[in-house]
């Protein structure tokens, strides 16, 4: 059997790097994507893996990444949309979107959309890294996805993680019958550089002595690796949100099919992606 090709974004550090190491040890062809050229190359060199650098705050770089992946890989068996983070004061990207929403949702939405034909052909699995913050902090306002009013770093992050789940459910609805399986998951509080640079009080958990109570990156990557190595429809259910390998309760908005459809359409407008 030929090696599977697994693309992991946000794989230069944290749970992305931990998942890449685990999957590489299993014999998969892991493709490392990260924002930092130095850190991304270090992980790739360690594993003997291909790597690509892309800043998800710049959608042109996401489009270039998608084009390169399509050129290089005739199959993509797993796409793990893992890049993301909590930000500080409100910033607009060069594309005109609020940075938290673009990096955590719009960029992976665009990448997945641009790879869709290849993912369908490959009967791929798409894994989206969400967070329990979707329930604790999220309250998505479809008319203000870019948080032009009432911005807070925490709410922006919660909204983006809720968007990850809504994207998962709508991706399942649109493409599962064509062979694509998908799931979102909560990695838990993980001792990484996740909140570096954020103004959120959450940074205190990640940057002080409290960090000792968090999971290791390897523990945080467990559900990602499980979803990537097991069989949808047998070991897990496509379209669901998971925590510790178990279907978990999400924000009540995550059950709103109409909201999921509308988010998909609004996201297409915001990234100006081809309609899929």
């Amino acid at each position: 059997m030929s090696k599977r090709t697994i693309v992991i974004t946000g794989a230069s550090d944290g749970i992305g790097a931990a998942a890449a190491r685990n999957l590489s040890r299993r014999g998969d062809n892991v493709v490392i994507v990260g924002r930092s050229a130095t850190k991304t190359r270090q992980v790739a060199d360690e594993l003997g893996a291909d790597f690509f650098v892309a800043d998800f705050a710049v959608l042109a770089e996401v489009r270039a990444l998608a084009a390169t992946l399509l050129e290089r890989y005739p199959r993509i068996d797993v796409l793990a949309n893992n890049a993301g983070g909590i930000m500080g004061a409100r910033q607009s990207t060069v594309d005109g979107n609020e940075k938290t929403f673009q990096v955590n949702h719009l960029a992976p939405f665009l990448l997945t959309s641009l790879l869709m034909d290849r993912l369908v052909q490959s009967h791929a699995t798409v894994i989206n890294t969400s967070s329990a913050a979707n329930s604790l902090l999220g309250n998505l306002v479809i008319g203000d996805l870019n948080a032009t009013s009432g911005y807070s770093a925490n709410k922006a992050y919660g909204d983006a993680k809720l968007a990850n789940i809504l994207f998962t459910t709508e991706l399942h609805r649109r493409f599962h019958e064509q062979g694509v399986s998908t799931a979102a998951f909560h990695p838990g509080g993980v001792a990484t550089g996740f909140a570096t640079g954020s103004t959120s009080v959450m940074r205190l958990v990640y940057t002080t002595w409290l960090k000792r109570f968090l999971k290791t990156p390897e523990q945080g990557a467990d559900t990602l690796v499980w979803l990537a190595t097991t069989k949808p429809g047998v070991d897990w259910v496509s379209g669901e949100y998971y925590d510790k390998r178990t279907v978990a309760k999400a924000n009540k908005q995550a059950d709103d099919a109409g909201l999921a459809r509308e988010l998909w359409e609004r996201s297409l407008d915001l990234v100006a992606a081809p309609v899929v």
Side-chain angles (χ1 to χ4, degrees), residues 1 30-31 47 71 94 125 131 133 144 147 170 187 221 255:
M1 182 181 295
V30 177
V31 180
L47 303 179
E71 180 182 349
V94 294
T125 291
S131 167
D144 190 23
E170 184 64 5
D255 295 325

Side-chain angles (χ1 to χ4, degrees), residues 175-198:
F175 291 101
H176 187 61
E177 289 186 358
Q178 298 181 48
V180 174
S181 298
T182 182
F185 79 100
H186 169 52
V190 183
T192 68
F194 158 79
T196 302
S198 172

Side-chain angles (χ1 to χ4, degrees), residues 48-180:
D50 294 342
F51 75 95
F52 302 98
V53 176
D55 184 350
F56 278 19
V58 182
L59 293 181
E61 295 193 21
V62 178
R63 293 187 180 93
L65 170 65
T68 302
L69 292 172
L70 290 171
E71 180 182 349
R72 291 283 296 272
Y73 305 105
R75 284 187 60 87
I76 298 176
D77 298 280
V78 178
L79 171 62
N81 289 315
N82 174 67
I86 188 167
M87 311 300 170
R90 188 185 185 283
Q91 299 179 56
S92 290
T93 68
V94 294
D95 303 287
N97 299 305
E98 189 277 313
K99 186 177 181 180
T100 312
F101 191 66
Q102 177 165 318
V103 170
N104 287 276
H105 168 65
L106 290 176
F109 173 86
L110 176 59
L111 180 62
T112 306
S113 296
L114 294 172
L115 297 177
M116 190 57 69
D117 287 348
R118 187 64 42 83
L119 296 171
V120 168
Q121 292 164 7
S122 305
H123 285 197
T125 291
V126 178
I127 302 167
N128 298 312
T129 302
S130 182
S131 167
N134 85 85
S135 292
L136 299 172
L137 305 171
N139 181 25
L140 202 65
V141 178
I142 200 71
D144 190 23
L145 294 175
N146 277 314
T148 56
S149 63
Y151 173 87
S152 77
N154 284 345
K155 182 180 184 303
Y157 181 68
D159 288 350
K161 295 294 102 179
L162 173 56
N164 294 151
I165 300 174
L166 290 164
F167 170 47
T168 299
T169 60
E170 184 64 5
L171 178 62
H172 170 83
R173 187 186 73 83
R174 291 178 182 240
F175 291 101
H176 187 61
E177 289 186 358
Q178 298 181 48
V180 174

Side-chain angles (χ1 to χ4, degrees), residues 247-262:
V247 173
K249 184 175 177 58
N251 189 305
K252 63 182 180 181
Q253 284 187 301
D255 295 325
D256 188 335
L259 181 62
R261 292 186 183 94
E262 192 168 4

